[in-house]
Amino acid sequence: MRTSRPAHGSRSAARWAVAAVAALALLGMLASPALAAPADVAAALRESPVYRDQAAEADISVDQVLDHIREAGTPIYVAILPTSARDPYGGSVTELGKAIANELRRNGTYMIISGDQFAAANYGDALPDGQAQALADQAVDDHVNDPQAAVLQW
């Protein structure tokens, strides 16, 4: 007398497991952050002067930067992005910043943080040429391992 069940029941469980793994992999691909395109960053900066991409490596508090910006009295835009955001620009955070400023087209001072690189510039005439970058360079030099403090000093 046979008491074991047919083997096809275990195949059904294996099919379910494979389907579940495939579905999870697809969901993972769909949920992964997209490359921070300048048009998307500019759209976010139109809503708030500080944008932090969810994949950004720099540990910077948006709320603290917003409070600091509000006290400045001039238009300032800060984008905190992942390292990969500058890939289409040959790794240049400066070129990425130019692309974002050209998309946003608002006079003001811009700081772009991509990974561990910073760039700052002026769009329009908010500051004299080169002053935004000089201030950013000084802030980064003063706070080498603290991007939050560097942004708040800038």
Side-chain angles (χ1 to χ4, degrees):
M1 177 193 286
R2 282 190 163 173
T3 58
S4 64
R5 293 191 171 165
H8 66 79
S10 62
R11 282 189 222 142
S12 177
R15 286 184 190 139
W16 275 105
V18 168
V21 168
L24 288 173
L26 179 61
L27 283 174
M29 288 188 311
L30 293 174
S32 64
L35 184 63
D40 296 334
V41 175
L45 289 172
R46 283 185 189 96
E47 300 297 319
S48 172
V50 179
Y51 169 72
R52 184 176 193 283
D53 188 283
Q54 65 182 5
E57 298 92 347
D59 186 21
I60 298 173
S61 166
V62 169
D63 291 335
Q64 286 184 359
V65 176
L66 276 170
D67 289 344
H68 187 67
I69 285 174
R70 287 185 184 119
E71 296 169 6
T74 62
I76 296 174
Y77 302 96
V78 177
I80 307 156
L81 307 171
T83 301
S84 61
R86 62 181 189 258
D87 289 348
Y89 302 92
S92 171
V93 70
T94 301
E95 293 303 315
L96 171 62
K98 287 178 185 177
I100 292 167
N102 286 331
E103 282 288 333
L104 187 56
R105 296 178 186 250
R106 290 188 180 173
N107 288 342
T109 306
Y110 291 72
M111 175 175 273
I112 309 300
I113 299 113
S114 176
D116 62 354
Q117 292 186 15
F118 287 68
N122 192 41
Y123 188 90
D125 58 0
L127 291 175
D129 286 345
Q131 186 175 1
Q133 186 62 49
L135 292 169
D137 289 343
Q138 183 63 54
V140 171
D141 288 347
D142 290 351
H143 305 283
V144 175
N145 295 316
D146 190 350
Q148 177 77 36
V151 171
L152 293 177
Q153 177 180 321
W154 175 73

Coordinates of all heavy atoms in Angstrom, one line a residue, residues 50-120:
V50 N 15.0 73.3 -1.4 CA 15.9 72.2 -1.1 C 15.3 70.9 -1.5 O 14.2 70.6 -1.2 CB 16.2 72.2 0.4 CG1 17.2 71.1 0.8 CG2 16.8 73.5 0.9
Y51 N 16.1 70.2 -2.3 CA 15.7 68.9 -2.8 C 16.7 67.8 -2.4 O 17.9 68.0 -2.6 CB 15.5 68.8 -4.3 CG 15.3 67.4 -4.9 CD1 14.1 66.8 -4.6 CD2 16.3 66.8 -5.6 CE1 13.9 65.5 -5.1 CE2 16.1 65.6 -6.1 CZ 15.0 64.9 -5.9 OH 14.8 63.6 -6.3
R52 N 16.3 66.7 -1.8 CA 17.2 65.6 -1.5 C 16.6 64.4 -2.1 O 15.5 63.9 -1.8 CB 17.3 65.4 0.0 CG 18.3 64.3 0.4 CD 18.5 64.2 1.9 NE 19.6 63.4 2.2 CZ 19.7 62.1 2.1 NH1 18.7 61.4 1.7 NH2 20.8 61.5 2.4
D53 N 17.4 63.8 -3.0 CA 17.1 62.6 -3.7 C 17.1 61.4 -2.7 O 18.1 61.4 -1.8 CB 18.0 62.3 -4.9 CG 17.6 61.1 -5.7 OD1 17.8 60.0 -5.2 OD2 17.1 61.3 -6.8
Q54 N 16.2 60.5 -2.7 CA 16.2 59.4 -1.7 C 17.5 58.5 -1.8 O 17.8 57.9 -0.9 CB 15.0 58.6 -1.9 CG 14.9 57.8 -3.2 CD 13.6 57.0 -3.4 OE1 12.7 57.1 -2.5 NE2 13.5 56.3 -4.4
A55 N 18.2 58.6 -2.9 CA 19.4 57.8 -3.1 C 20.7 58.5 -2.7 O 21.8 58.0 -2.9 CB 19.5 57.2 -4.5
A56 N 20.5 59.8 -2.3 CA 21.7 60.6 -2.0 C 22.5 60.0 -0.9 O 21.9 59.6 0.1 CB 21.3 62.0 -1.7
E57 N 23.8 60.0 -1.0 CA 24.7 59.5 0.0 C 24.9 60.5 1.1 O 25.1 60.1 2.3 CB 26.0 59.1 -0.6 CG 26.0 58.0 -1.6 CD 25.8 58.5 -3.1 OE1 25.5 59.7 -3.2 OE2 26.0 57.7 -4.0
A58 N 25.0 61.8 0.8 CA 25.3 62.8 1.8 C 24.2 62.9 2.9 O 23.0 62.9 2.6 CB 25.5 64.1 1.2
D59 N 24.6 62.8 4.1 CA 23.6 62.9 5.3 C 23.4 64.4 5.6 O 24.1 64.9 6.4 CB 24.2 62.1 6.4 CG 23.2 62.0 7.6 OD1 22.0 62.2 7.4 OD2 23.7 61.8 8.7
I60 N 22.4 64.9 5.0 CA 22.1 66.4 5.2 C 20.6 66.5 5.4 O 19.8 66.0 4.7 CB 22.5 67.2 3.9 CG1 24.0 67.1 3.7 CG2 22.1 68.6 4.0 CD1 24.5 67.7 2.4
S61 N 20.3 67.2 6.5 CA 18.9 67.5 6.9 C 18.3 68.6 6.1 O 18.7 69.7 6.1 CB 18.8 67.9 8.4 OG 17.6 68.4 8.7
V62 N 17.3 68.2 5.3 CA 16.6 69.2 4.5 C 15.9 70.3 5.4 O 16.0 71.5 5.0 CB 15.5 68.5 3.6 CG1 14.6 69.5 3.0 CG2 16.1 67.6 2.6
D63 N 15.4 69.9 6.5 CA 14.7 70.9 7.3 C 15.7 72.0 7.9 O 15.4 73.2 7.9 CB 14.0 70.3 8.5 CG 12.8 69.4 8.1 OD1 12.2 69.8 7.0 OD2 12.4 68.5 8.8
Q64 N 16.9 71.5 8.3 CA 17.9 72.5 8.8 C 18.4 73.4 7.6 O 18.5 74.6 7.9 CB 19.1 71.8 9.4 CG 18.7 71.2 10.8 CD 20.0 70.6 11.4 OE1 21.0 70.6 10.9 NE2 19.8 70.1 12.6
V65 N 18.6 72.9 6.5 CA 19.0 73.7 5.3 C 17.9 74.7 4.9 O 18.2 75.8 4.7 CB 19.4 72.8 4.1 CG1 19.8 73.6 2.9 CG2 20.6 71.9 4.5
L66 N 16.6 74.2 5.0 CA 15.5 75.1 4.7 C 15.5 76.3 5.6 O 15.3 77.5 5.2 CB 14.2 74.4 4.7 CG 13.8 73.7 3.4 CD1 12.6 72.8 3.7 CD2 13.5 74.6 2.3
D67 N 15.6 76.0 6.9 CA 15.6 77.1 7.9 C 16.8 78.1 7.6 O 16.6 79.3 7.7 CB 15.8 76.5 9.3 CG 14.6 75.8 9.8 OD1 13.5 76.0 9.2 OD2 14.7 75.0 10.8
H68 N 17.9 77.6 7.3 CA 19.1 78.4 7.0 C 18.8 79.3 5.8 O 19.2 80.5 5.7 CB 20.3 77.5 6.8 CG 21.6 78.3 6.7 ND1 22.2 79.0 7.7 CD2 22.4 78.4 5.6 CE1 23.3 79.5 7.3 NE2 23.5 79.2 6.0
I69 N 18.2 78.7 4.7 CA 18.0 79.4 3.5 C 16.9 80.5 3.7 O 17.1 81.6 3.2 CB 17.5 78.4 2.4 CG1 18.6 77.6 1.9 CG2 16.8 79.2 1.3 CD1 18.3 76.5 0.9
R70 N 16.0 80.3 4.5 CA 14.9 81.3 4.8 C 15.5 82.5 5.4 O 15.0 83.6 5.2 CB 13.8 80.7 5.6 CG 13.0 79.7 4.9 CD 11.8 79.2 5.7 NE 11.1 78.2 5.0 CZ 10.9 76.9 5.3 NH1 11.4 76.5 6.5 NH2 10.2 76.1 4.6
E71 N 16.6 82.3 6.2 CA 17.2 83.5 6.9 C 18.1 84.3 5.9 O 18.5 85.4 6.2 CB 18.1 83.0 8.0 CG 17.3 82.3 9.1 CD 18.2 81.6 10.2 OE1 19.4 81.7 10.1 OE2 17.6 80.9 11.0
A72 N 18.4 83.7 4.8 CA 19.4 84.3 3.8 C 18.9 85.6 3.2 O 19.6 86.5 2.9 CB 19.9 83.4 2.8
G73 N 17.6 85.6 2.9 CA 17.0 86.8 2.2 C 17.3 86.9 0.7 O 16.9 87.9 0.1
T74 N 17.9 85.9 0.1 CA 18.2 85.9 -1.3 C 17.8 84.5 -1.8 O 17.8 83.5 -1.0 CB 19.6 86.1 -1.7 OG1 20.5 85.1 -1.1 CG2 20.1 87.5 -1.2
P75 N 17.4 84.3 -3.1 CA 17.1 83.0 -3.6 C 18.2 82.0 -3.6 O 19.3 82.3 -4.2 CB 16.5 83.3 -5.0 CG 16.8 84.7 -5.3 CD 17.3 85.3 -4.1
I76 N 18.1 80.9 -2.9 CA 19.1 79.9 -2.8 C 18.4 78.5 -3.1 O 17.3 78.3 -2.6 CB 19.8 79.8 -1.4 CG1 20.5 81.1 -1.2 CG2 20.7 78.6 -1.3 CD1 21.1 81.3 0.2
Y77 N 19.1 77.7 -3.9 CA 18.6 76.4 -4.3 C 19.7 75.4 -4.0 O 20.8 75.6 -4.3 CB 18.2 76.3 -5.7 CG 17.2 77.4 -6.1 CD1 17.5 78.6 -6.6 CD2 15.8 77.1 -5.9 CE1 16.6 79.6 -7.0 CE2 14.9 78.1 -6.2 CZ 15.3 79.3 -6.7 OH 14.3 80.3 -7.0
V78 N 19.3 74.3 -3.3 CA 20.2 73.3 -2.9 C 19.6 71.9 -3.4 O 18.5 71.6 -3.0 CB 20.4 73.2 -1.4 CG1 21.4 72.1 -1.0 CG2 21.0 74.5 -0.9
A79 N 20.4 71.2 -4.1 CA 20.1 69.8 -4.6 C 21.1 68.8 -4.0 O 22.3 69.0 -4.2 CB 20.0 69.8 -6.1
I80 N 20.6 67.8 -3.3 CA 21.4 66.8 -2.7 C 21.1 65.5 -3.4 O 20.0 65.0 -3.4 CB 21.1 66.7 -1.2 CG1 21.2 68.0 -0.5 CG2 22.0 65.6 -0.5 CD1 20.4 68.2 0.8
L81 N 22.1 65.1 -4.2 CA 21.9 64.0 -5.2 C 22.9 62.9 -5.0 O 23.9 63.1 -4.4 CB 22.0 64.6 -6.6 CG 21.1 65.8 -6.9 CD1 21.5 66.4 -8.2 CD2 19.7 65.4 -6.9
P82 N 22.5 61.7 -5.6 CA 23.5 60.6 -5.5 C 24.7 60.8 -6.5 O 24.6 61.6 -7.4 CB 22.7 59.4 -6.0 CG 21.5 60.0 -6.8 CD 21.3 61.3 -6.2
T83 N 25.7 60.1 -6.2 CA 26.9 60.2 -7.1 C 26.5 59.9 -8.6 O 27.0 60.6 -9.5 CB 28.0 59.2 -6.6 OG1 28.3 59.5 -5.3 CG2 29.2 59.2 -7.5
S84 N 25.7 59.0 -8.8 CA 25.3 58.6 -10.2 C 24.6 59.7 -10.9 O 24.6 59.7 -12.2 CB 24.4 57.4 -10.1 OG 23.2 57.7 -9.4
A85 N 24.1 60.8 -10.3 CA 23.4 61.9 -11.0 C 24.4 62.6 -11.9 O 24.0 63.2 -12.9 CB 22.8 62.8 -10.0
R86 N 25.7 62.6 -11.6 CA 26.6 63.3 -12.4 C 27.2 62.5 -13.5 O 28.0 63.0 -14.4 CB 27.7 64.0 -11.6 CG 28.6 63.1 -10.8 CD 29.6 63.9 -9.9 NE 30.5 63.1 -9.3 CZ 30.5 62.7 -8.1 NH1 29.6 63.1 -7.3 NH2 31.5 61.9 -7.6
D87 N 26.9 61.2 -13.6 CA 27.5 60.3 -14.6 C 27.2 60.8 -16.1 O 28.2 60.8 -16.9 CB 26.9 58.9 -14.5 CG 27.5 58.2 -13.3 OD1 28.4 58.7 -12.7 OD2 26.9 57.1 -12.9
P88 N 26.0 61.3 -16.4 CA 25.8 61.8 -17.8 C 26.7 63.1 -18.1 O 26.7 63.5 -19.2 CB 24.3 62.2 -17.8 CG 23.7 61.4 -16.7 CD 24.8 61.3 -15.6
Y89 N 27.3 63.6 -17.1 CA 28.1 64.9 -17.3 C 29.6 64.6 -17.1 O 30.3 65.5 -16.6 CB 27.6 66.0 -16.3 CG 26.1 66.2 -16.6 CD1 25.1 65.5 -15.8 CD2 25.7 67.1 -17.6 CE1 23.8 65.7 -16.1 CE2 24.4 67.2 -17.9 CZ 23.4 66.5 -17.2 OH 22.1 66.7 -17.5
G90 N 30.0 63.4 -17.4 CA 31.4 63.1 -17.3 C 31.9 63.1 -15.8 O 33.1 63.3 -15.6
G91 N 31.0 62.9 -14.9 CA 31.4 62.9 -13.5 C 31.5 64.3 -12.9 O 31.9 64.5 -11.7
S92 N 31.1 65.4 -13.7 CA 31.3 66.8 -13.2 C 30.0 67.2 -12.5 O 29.0 67.4 -13.1 CB 31.6 67.7 -14.4 OG 31.5 69.0 -14.0
V93 N 30.2 67.6 -11.2 CA 29.1 68.1 -10.5 C 28.8 69.6 -10.9 O 27.7 70.0 -10.9 CB 29.4 68.0 -8.9 CG1 30.5 69.0 -8.5 CG2 28.1 68.3 -8.1
T94 N 29.8 70.2 -11.4 CA 29.6 71.6 -12.0 C 28.7 71.6 -13.2 O 27.8 72.4 -13.3 CB 31.0 72.2 -12.3 OG1 31.8 72.3 -11.1 CG2 30.8 73.6 -12.9
E95 N 29.0 70.6 -14.1 CA 28.1 70.5 -15.3 C 26.7 70.1 -15.0 O 25.8 70.5 -15.6 CB 28.8 69.6 -16.3 CG 30.1 70.1 -16.9 CD 29.9 71.4 -17.6 OE1 28.9 71.6 -18.4 OE2 30.8 72.3 -17.4
L96 N 26.6 69.2 -14.0 CA 25.3 68.8 -13.5 C 24.5 70.0 -12.9 O 23.4 70.2 -13.2 CB 25.4 67.7 -12.4 CG 24.1 67.3 -11.6 CD1 23.1 66.8 -12.6 CD2 24.5 66.4 -10.5
G97 N 25.2 70.8 -12.2 CA 24.6 72.0 -11.6 C 24.2 73.0 -12.7 O 23.1 73.6 -12.6
K98 N 25.0 73.2 -13.7 CA 24.6 74.0 -14.8 C 23.3 73.5 -15.5 O 22.4 74.3 -15.8 CB 25.7 74.1 -15.9 CG 26.9 74.9 -15.5 CD 28.0 74.9 -16.5 CE 29.2 75.6 -16.1 NZ 30.3 75.5 -17.2
A99 N 23.2 72.2 -15.7 CA 22.1 71.6 -16.3 C 20.8 71.9 -15.5 O 19.7 72.2 -16.0 CB 22.3 70.1 -16.6
I100 N 20.9 71.7 -14.2 CA 19.8 72.0 -13.3 C 19.4 73.4 -13.3 O 18.2 73.8 -13.4 CB 20.1 71.5 -11.8 CG1 20.3 70.0 -11.8 CG2 19.1 72.0 -10.8 CD1 20.9 69.4 -10.5
A101 N 20.4 74.3 -13.2 CA 20.1 75.8 -13.2 C 19.4 76.2 -14.5 O 18.5 77.0 -14.6 CB 21.3 76.6 -12.9
N102 N 19.9 75.6 -15.6 CA 19.3 75.9 -16.9 C 17.9 75.4 -17.1 O 17.1 76.0 -17.8 CB 20.2 75.4 -18.1 CG 21.5 76.3 -18.2 OD1 21.5 77.5 -17.9 ND2 22.5 75.6 -18.6
E103 N 17.6 74.3 -16.4 CA 16.2 73.8 -16.4 C 15.3 74.6 -15.5 O 14.2 74.9 -15.9 CB 16.2 72.3 -15.9 CG 16.6 71.3 -16.9 CD 15.6 71.1 -18.0 OE1 14.4 71.3 -17.8 OE2 16.1 70.7 -19.1
L104 N 15.8 75.0 -14.3 CA 15.0 75.8 -13.4 C 14.8 77.2 -13.9 O 13.7 77.8 -13.7 CB 15.6 75.8 -12.0 CG 14.8 76.4 -10.9 CD1 13.4 75.8 -10.7 CD2 15.6 76.3 -9.6
R105 N 15.9 77.8 -14.4 CA 15.8 79.2 -15.0 C 15.3 80.2 -14.0 O 14.5 81.1 -14.3 CB 15.0 79.2 -16.2 CG 15.6 78.4 -17.3 CD 14.7 78.5 -18.6 NE 15.2 77.6 -19.6 CZ 15.8 77.9 -20.7 NH1 15.9 79.2 -21.0 NH2 16.2 77.1 -21.5
R106 N 15.8 80.1 -12.7 CA 15.5 81.1 -11.7 C 16.8 81.8 -11.2 O 17.7 81.1 -10.9 CB 14.8 80.5 -10.6 CG 13.4 80.1 -10.9 CD 12.6 79.6 -9.6 NE 11.3 79.2 -10.0 CZ 10.5 78.7 -9.1 NH1 10.8 78.5 -7.9 NH2 9.2 78.3 -9.5
N107 N 16.8 83.1 -11.2 CA 18.0 83.8 -10.6 C 18.2 83.3 -9.2 O 17.2 83.2 -8.4 CB 17.8 85.3 -10.6 CG 17.9 85.8 -12.1 OD1 18.4 85.2 -12.9 ND2 17.4 87.0 -12.3
G108 N 19.4 83.1 -8.8 CA 19.7 82.7 -7.4 C 21.0 82.0 -7.3 O 21.8 81.9 -8.3
T109 N 21.3 81.6 -6.2 CA 22.6 80.9 -5.9 C 22.2 79.4 -5.7 O 21.3 79.1 -5.1 CB 23.2 81.4 -4.6 OG1 23.4 82.9 -4.8 CG2 24.6 80.8 -4.4
Y110 N 23.0 78.6 -6.4 CA 22.8 77.1 -6.4 C 23.9 76.4 -5.8 O 25.1 76.7 -6.0 CB 22.7 76.6 -7.9 CG 21.4 77.1 -8.6 CD1 21.3 78.4 -9.0 CD2 20.4 76.2 -8.9 CE1 20.2 78.9 -9.7 CE2 19.3 76.7 -9.5 CZ 19.2 78.0 -9.9 OH 18.0 78.4 -10.6
M111 N 23.6 75.4 -5.0 CA 24.6 74.4 -4.5 C 24.1 73.1 -4.8 O 22.9 72.7 -4.6 CB 24.8 74.5 -3.0 CG 25.8 73.4 -2.5 SD 26.2 73.5 -0.8 CE 27.6 74.6 -0.9
I112 N 25.0 72.3 -5.5 CA 24.7 71.0 -5.9 C 25.6 70.0 -5.1 O 26.8 70.2 -5.2 CB 24.8 70.8 -7.4 CG1 24.1 71.8 -8.2 CG2 24.4 69.4 -7.8 CD1 22.6 71.9 -8.0
I113 N 25.1 69.1 -4.4 CA 25.9 68.1 -3.8 C 25.6 66.7 -4.4 O 24.4 66.3 -4.5 CB 25.6 68.0 -2.3 CG1 25.8 69.3 -1.6 CG2 26.4 66.9 -1.6 CD1 24.6 70.0 -1.1
S114 N 26.6 66.1 -5.0 CA 26.4 64.8 -5.6 C 27.5 63.9 -5.1 O 28.7 64.0 -5.3 CB 26.6 65.0 -7.2 OG 26.6 63.7 -7.8
G115 N 27.0 62.9 -4.2 CA 27.9 62.1 -3.5 C 28.7 62.9 -2.5 O 28.2 63.6 -1.7
D116 N 30.0 62.9 -2.7 CA 30.9 63.7 -1.8 C 31.5 64.9 -2.5 O 32.4 65.5 -2.0 CB 32.0 62.8 -1.2 CG 32.9 62.3 -2.3 OD1 32.7 62.5 -3.5 OD2 33.9 61.7 -1.9
Q117 N 30.9 65.3 -3.6 CA 31.4 66.5 -4.3 C 30.3 67.6 -4.3 O 29.1 67.4 -4.3 CB 31.7 66.2 -5.8 CG 32.9 65.2 -5.9 CD 33.2 65.0 -7.4 OE1 32.8 65.8 -8.3 NE2 34.0 64.0 -7.7
F118 N 30.8 68.8 -4.1 CA 30.0 70.0 -4.0 C 30.3 71.0 -5.2 O 31.5 71.0 -5.6 CB 30.3 70.8 -2.8 CG 29.9 70.2 -1.5 CD1 30.4 69.0 -1.0 CD2 28.9 70.9 -0.7 CE1 30.0 68.5 0.2 CE2 28.5 70.4 0.5 CZ 29.0 69.2 1.0
A119 N 29.4 71.7 -5.7 CA 29.6 72.8 -6.6 C 28.6 73.9 -6.3 O 27.4 73.6 -5.9 CB 29.5 72.3 -8.0
A120 N 29.0 75.1 -6.4 CA 28.1 76.2 -6.2 C 28.3 77.3 -7.2 O 29.5 77.5 -7.7 CB 28.3 76.8 -4.8

